[in-house]
């Protein structure tokens, strides 16, 4: 088993396998940046194996492992607990992968593996406290009902999260998205929501929460979702979302290339920006392909874990041009102009570029 994806040969086209994954796991259409809260069907999707068949009446959530009182909850019992809603930006850690050169072969995302939904559920921490954490507890394993084989390893989808992260107030067991029950593809009946972290941490179709007395060493933490530059070299786990800004493409598109056509004159550019490390501190726009940058106007801040809107007034002159946008967060993280290449194609937050013909 290789720890890494295969790397495409120079000039190697997207395969039917990659096309199949891309069609199953659809992106968010960038014009949907107009909605602050992403309508459910426009939110991106990423499912490693199959969407499992779960029945709400027969579903149970077990909380077990290094706890004094293991619990088994029904959906009604979970819903009877304190109810919290929060709007959270999700992004797949593989977003931007298909723009890397050479291309790591996996789900071939361009820019659209994002969405900003309102998740309703119950906070995780009080449930863990009710189960009675034992002093030796260090990590928490979240296991989904979906099952498959990945790089030769048969598994249930499972992720570990440190106990400290698991006990953050804003970590939820969510059973609604945008005010409706989770649809099958988003984790029905219950999923984990870990604000600020890339998508792999947001475990869908939860069936068990196991408190561990040693660090979790399962596939999705130790093999997948690592930032590794050389084949067998050192690697770092992927955790929180790097800053990114996206622009709602202006004007209208060419069907095939998606390049844009805009009428000369005043054009309002707008989009959204987010970071899982710290609030967005500024967004800059370039109308000359990244040679010069000007500050965009930020919308008033909303909820901490939701993206922030931005706008930019552009006087479009006739001709060809390339727009670009980049975000910086309050921790000083800024989007790179050059690709942050790595073996698994993780967290490529290189700036978005939008070719435009102004007529
Ligand atoms: N059980 C389970 N949870 C999962 C996954 C999965 O395949 N199985 N995919 C993860 C990944 S990689 C991402 S990016 C998010 C996507 O969430 P969404 O499909 O609701 O947008 O779910 C995460 N949770
Ligand atoms: Mo993902």
């Amino acid at each position: 088993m290789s720890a890494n994806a295969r790397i495409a040969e120079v000039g190697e086209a997207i395969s039917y396998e990659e096309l199949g994954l891309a069609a199953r796991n659809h992106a968010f259409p960038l014009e949907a940046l107009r909605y602050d809260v992403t309508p459910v069907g426009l939110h991106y999707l990423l499912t490693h194996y199959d969407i499992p068949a779960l029945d709400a009446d027969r579903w149970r959530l077990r909380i077990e492992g290094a706890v004094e009182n293991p619990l088994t909850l029904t959906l009604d019992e979970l819903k009877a607990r304190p109810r919290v809603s929060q709007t959270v930006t999700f992004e797949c850690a593989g977003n931007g992968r298909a723009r890397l050169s050479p291309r790591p072969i996996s789900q071939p995302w361009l820019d659209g593996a994002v969405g900003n939904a309102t998740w309703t559920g119950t906070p995780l921490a009080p449930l863990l406290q009710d189960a009675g954490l034992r002093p030796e507890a260090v990590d928490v394993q979240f296991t989904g009902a979906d099952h498959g084989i990945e790089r030769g390893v048969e598994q249930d989808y499972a992720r570990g999260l440190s106990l400290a992260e698991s006990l953050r107030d804003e970590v939820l067991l969510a059973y609604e998205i945008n005010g409706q029950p989770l649809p099958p593809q988003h984790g029905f009946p219950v999923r984990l929501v870990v604000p600020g972290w890339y998508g792999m941490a947001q475990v869908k179709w939860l069936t068990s929460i196991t408190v561990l007395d040693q660090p979790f060493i399962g596939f999705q933490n130790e093999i997948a979702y690592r930032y590794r530059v050389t084949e067998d070299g050192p690697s770092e786990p992927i955790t929180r979302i790097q800053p990114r800004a996206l622009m709602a493409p202006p004007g209208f598109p060419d069907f095939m290339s998606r390049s844009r056509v805009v009428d000369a004159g005043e054009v309002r550019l707008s989009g959204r920006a987010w970071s899982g490390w710290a609030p967005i501190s500024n967004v800059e726009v370039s109308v000359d392909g990244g040679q010069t940058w000007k500050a965009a106007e930020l919308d008033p801040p909303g909820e901490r874990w939701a993206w922030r809107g931005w706008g930019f007034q552009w006087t479009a002159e006739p001709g060809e041009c390339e727009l670009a946008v980049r975000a910086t967060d309050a921790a000083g993280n800024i989007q790179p102009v050059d690709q942050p290449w790595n073996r698994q194609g993780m967290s490529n937050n290189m700036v978005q570029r939008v070719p435009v013909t102004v007529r």
Side-chain angles (χ1 to χ4, degrees):
M1 176 193 61
S2 167
N4 301 297
R6 186 170 75 77
I7 304 299
E9 303 296 334
V10 175
E12 181 181 333
I14 298 269
S15 64
Y16 282 107
E17 287 182 356
E18 289 169 284
L19 174 61
L21 284 175
R24 283 184 58 80
N25 296 310
H26 69 73
F28 160 99
L30 293 186
E31 62 272 29
L33 286 163
R34 70 172 78 101
Y35 310 109
D36 181 34
V37 173
T38 307
V40 174
L42 300 183
H43 194 283
Y44 85 100
L45 274 185
L46 194 293
T47 298
H48 285 226
Y49 315 129
D50 289 350
I51 296 169
L54 294 178
D55 177 285
D57 293 329
R58 302 207 340 253
W59 177 86
R60 297 287 181 276
L61 177 65
R62 299 187 308 280
I63 304 183
E64 58 199 9
V67 293
E68 301 298 344
N69 324 299
L71 302 173
T72 300
L73 292 126
T74 65
L75 188 55
D76 285 342
E77 286 167 338
L78 203 72
K79 287 184 178 170
R81 297 184 62 93
R83 182 182 161 93
V84 172
S85 293
Q86 55 186 3
T87 302
V88 180
T89 300
F90 277 12
E91 179 172 15
C92 180
N95 200 17
R97 175 181 292 125
R99 293 200 191 280
L100 290 174
S101 176
R103 183 176 89 256
I105 295 188
S106 181
Q107 166 77 24
W109 293 121
L110 294 171
D111 305 308
V114 298
N116 185 59
T118 302
W119 300 96
T120 299
T122 195
L124 173 65
L127 259 173
L128 292 176
Q129 303 299 1
D130 287 359
L133 291 165
R134 294 222 205 103
E136 61 270 26
V138 292
D139 262 12
V140 184
Q141 173 180 338
F142 299 88
T143 306
D146 49 329
H147 189 90
I149 306 174
E150 202 162 338
R151 293 180 233 161
V153 180
E154 187 175 335
Q155 57 192 288
D156 293 331
Y157 186 90
R159 279 281 304 182
L161 189 65
S162 73
L163 183 63
E165 286 288 335
S166 303
L167 290 174
R168 286 165 54 208
D169 286 344
E170 59 266 32
V171 174
L172 297 186
L173 300 181
Y175 44 78
E176 288 177 15
I177 178 173
N178 297 356
Q180 61 188 74
L182 297 185
Q185 67 273 24
H186 286 297
F188 179 86
V190 174
R191 81 176 309 165
L192 184 65
V193 173
V194 185
W197 281 57
Y198 276 117
M200 73 280 154
Q202 325 292 341
V203 180
K204 302 192 273 193
W205 311 295
L206 260 186
T207 56
S208 65
I209 298 176
T210 312
V211 179
L212 304 177
D213 60 6
Q214 49 196 320
F216 178 74
I217 52 160
F219 183 95
Q220 301 298 341
N221 287 63
E222 288 304 296
I223 307 292
Y225 297 106
R226 299 193 76 88
Y227 197 97
R228 181 188 285 111
V229 174
T230 59
E231 173 79 49
D232 301 310
S235 64
E236 288 295 320
I238 300 291
T239 59
R240 287 174 181 261
I241 302 175
Q242 300 288 355
R244 189 194 293 275
L246 286 176
M247 177 186 304
F252 60 85
D254 173 68
F255 171 64
M256 279 308 297
S257 67
R258 312 309 290 181
S259 68
R260 316 298 301 184
V261 179
V262 167
D263 288 328
E266 289 302 306
V267 179
R268 185 70 183 169
L269 300 175
S270 65
R272 314 266 171 193
W274 62 93
S275 165
W277 294 103
I280 289 297
S281 53
N282 67 76
V283 170
E284 296 159 289
V285 170
S286 172
V287 299
D288 56 15
Q291 293 173 59
T292 59
W293 297 89
K294 287 198 189 111
E297 294 143 35
L298 293 179
D299 293 351
E303 290 186 43
R304 163 63 191 101
W305 302 109
W307 57 25
R308 187 157 177 192
W310 59 265
F312 184 87
Q313 201 60 29
W314 175 39
T315 309
E317 312 272 355
E320 301 295 319
C321 72
E322 187 183 67
L323 306 177
V325 58
R326 72 178 178 197
T328 305
D329 71 20
N333 300 301
I334 181 165
Q335 285 185 254
V337 171
D338 298 318
Q339 60 171 3
W341 194 88
N342 62 99
R343 289 286 320 210
Q344 298 183 352
M346 292 290 153
S347 60
N348 175 15
N349 66 335
M350 178 172 72
V351 296
Q352 178 197 18
R353 292 171 184 277
V354 182
V356 179
T357 301
V358 182
R359 64 171 187 187

